[in-house]
Amino acid sequence: MNCESDAVYACVLMGDAMDKIRRHIIFYGRVQGVGFRWHCKNFANAKGLTGWVQNLPDGTVEMEVQGTEEKVSALIGYMEERPYVEIDSFDSEIIDLVDGDFGFYTKESW
């Protein structure tokens, strides 16, 4: 590669990283025992999102998801439309990106 193409490649990579966000989300409602984590994992992996999802002992579901805002929002919207899942509310905050994050998986629950 020459310097010019290296610079273009670096800009493309940097632009991709700058478009990404990572959200920490806690979901409340009927979110355990209804396939929530399974649907999350499959949708997220199909869309190229990274992160994890897990059940918490208080009946909520915790998730960290990384990708573009558009794809992260699409995952949340998808989960709100799942049969049997009833999301009453969720808390969400943007957190630091995780470098080298690969794939989306289900974490061991408590």
Side-chain angles (χ1 to χ4, degrees), residues 3-20:
C3 288
E4 187 174 307
S5 63
D6 286 346
V8 170
Y9 181 69
C11 286
V12 169
L13 288 178
M14 201 170 213
D16 185 46
M18 291 175 71
D19 291 342
K20 286 186 178 179

Side-chain angles (χ1 to χ4, degrees), residues 69-84:
E69 180 72 54
E70 181 181 357
K71 288 181 180 181
V72 170
S73 294
L75 172 59
I76 295 168
Y78 175 79
M79 293 312 300
E80 290 178 320
E81 296 172 357
R82 293 304 86 212
Y84 309 112

Side-chain angles (χ1 to χ4, degrees), residues 10 12 19 29-31 40 43 51 57-58 62 65 75 108-110:
V12 169
D19 291 342
R30 191 172 69 187
V31 291
C40 268
F43 185 90
D58 64 359
E62 179 181 30
V65 58
L75 172 59
E108 285 296 317
S109 296
W110 33 273

Side-chain angles (χ1 to χ4, degrees), residues 20-79:
K20 286 186 178 179
I21 62 160
R22 187 174 189 94
R23 285 197 174 274
H24 176 258
I25 308 169
I26 303 288
F27 293 94
Y28 303 89
R30 191 172 69 187
V31 291
Q32 289 191 14
V34 291
F36 190 99
R37 294 173 300 155
W38 185 86
H39 283 291
C40 268
K41 184 176 84 167
N42 288 337
F43 185 90
N45 280 315
K47 296 296 182 186
L49 296 166
T50 61
W52 51 265
V53 63
Q54 72 176 350
N55 286 340
L56 295 178
D58 64 359
T60 61
V61 171
E62 179 181 30
M63 178 169 60
E64 281 191 14
V65 58
Q66 182 168 305
T68 64
E69 180 72 54
E70 181 181 357
K71 288 181 180 181
V72 170
S73 294
L75 172 59
I76 295 168
Y78 175 79
M79 293 312 300

